[in-house]
Amino acid sequence: MADGRTSDTSSLGRLCQETAGHLLADLKAALTDVVSGRRNFATLLHQVERVAKYAKRDHKASLESAKSCMQSLVRQSAPFLYGNTGFRGMGWKRLYREAKAARNDMAHTGTEAVLAELRVTALATVLLEALLNAARGDGVTQLKHVMVENPVCAHPWQTVADVRRTMLTNDFSVLPLRDGSSWYTVSAESLAEYLMKHKDACLGKTIRAAWTECGRLRERARTAKESEPASKWCGELPVIVVEDSVAVGIVTSFDLL
């Protein structure tokens, strides 16, 4: 990251595609974790502040000092949300001001803390759109822009109880599963169906043993390259993003919202 000394102020707020892509993935993961209750509000706030530092190109930047750069980022990459962010009819300037004030009031509790979280969450949602558009410089949303990177995978040797626990604690609807050179998926729906039929007696079985009793536990997965357009896979999700035989990402319907 640059130290903030630059003579080209017009470039502030602009992010290269690679940087925007990484920030997008981290911010989206943080937002999902906060909404699902897996992480606290401070995690999301940290990722919003990271975007501010990169937008200003200054690792010491704060939400206040990066205000104009964040404004430029949204105006350049998500202009349709600048005048109305969708949060109570607020424009970007007002929402940013209120979210910044909430950041300075982290010591508050109760209702004020809830309102602070709502504002920062709304701000993060606008930033997601801006980062997505900045990442797709050619105007095409590729799978790498929307996928969940480095997905947790299920393995044939794991027990049903282990896979169930992974899904519950992480709020996953589907897990990639590799068997030999082939890719499959284990869905929460198929696992629930299996558990309803076999009850607790099946929890100690391996996934490999379980799918002989319930073929749906191992459904053939669609695979794709991260450079492929996301629009190509609408209606065909989930898809596992594979590079050099390694699952580098997974895309579900949720990731395209």
Side-chain angles (χ1 to χ4, degrees):
M1 188 187 304
D3 62 3
R5 292 173 294 181
T6 176
S7 58
D8 183 12
T9 56
S10 65
S11 67
L12 295 180
R14 293 186 183 277
L15 299 170
C16 72
Q17 290 176 246
E18 182 179 13
T19 299
H22 285 295
L23 291 173
L24 171 67
D26 291 345
L27 182 61
K28 189 169 188 177
L31 182 59
T32 301
D33 284 346
V34 169
V35 172
S36 66
R38 291 194 296 270
R39 298 286 182 89
N40 60 32
F41 170 51
T43 301
L44 179 60
L45 186 55
H46 170 69
Q47 292 301 333
V48 170
E49 290 175 329
R50 280 188 70 219
V51 176
K53 295 178 191 300
Y54 277 92
K56 188 172 173 57
R57 302 182 186 179
D58 180 359
H59 71 279
K60 295 181 179 180
S62 64
L63 290 181
E64 174 59 32
S65 65
K67 179 171 58 177
S68 61
C69 298
M70 293 284 268
Q71 177 178 312
S72 296
L73 172 63
V74 174
R75 293 195 74 165
Q76 293 160 7
S77 300
F80 51 93
L81 292 174
Y82 184 76
N84 187 345
T85 62
F87 180 73
R88 301 179 180 178
M90 290 187 190
W92 170 260
K93 285 186 176 181
R94 180 181 171 187
L95 178 59
Y96 191 84
R97 182 172 64 250
E98 295 196 6
K100 181 165 59 71
R103 193 266 175 262
N104 297 329
D105 290 337
M106 287 294 290
H108 287 265
T109 58
T111 303
E112 292 183 351
V114 171
L115 292 176
E117 183 171 337
L118 284 173
R119 282 162 173 73
V120 174
T121 298
L123 191 79
T125 302
V126 177
L127 288 174
L128 281 179
E129 188 67 33
L131 291 171
L132 174 60
N133 291 332
R136 57 178 193 181
D138 56 1
V140 176
T141 301
Q142 298 176 333
L143 290 177
K144 66 181 180 181
H145 297 145
V146 295
M147 70 182 187
V148 175
E149 298 182 350
N150 304 315
V152 176
C153 295
H155 303 280
W157 52 265
Q158 287 182 291
T159 63
V160 171
D162 193 14
V163 173
R164 175 176 177 268
R165 186 182 308 110
T166 298
M167 286 188 157
L168 287 174
T169 57
N170 294 283
D171 197 26
F172 291 150
S173 61
V174 64
L175 289 177
L177 169 70
R178 186 174 183 180
D179 184 28
S181 60
S182 300
W183 284 99
Y184 300 86
T185 59
V186 178
S187 69
E189 181 182 359
S190 63
L191 187 59
E193 178 184 321
Y194 180 70
L195 289 169
M196 289 295 292
K197 287 182 179 179
H198 299 274
K199 306 299 181 182
D200 295 340
C202 68
L203 291 175
K205 292 183 179 181
T206 65
I207 289 294
R208 187 185 299 278
W211 75 49
T212 63
E213 300 174 340
C214 179
R216 285 193 64 204
L217 277 177
R218 186 182 70 161
E219 299 179 339
R220 178 74 71 168
R222 301 174 181 86
T223 60
K225 298 292 184 181
E226 59 182 358
S227 60
E228 293 185 36
S231 58
K232 172 183 175 181
W233 293 96
C234 288
E236 301 291 332
L237 301 173
V239 60
I240 301 173
V241 184
V242 178
E243 297 291 338
D244 298 325
S245 301
V246 176
V248 297
I250 185 170
V251 180
T252 66
S253 300
F254 175 79
D255 300 307
L256 298 184
L257 293 179

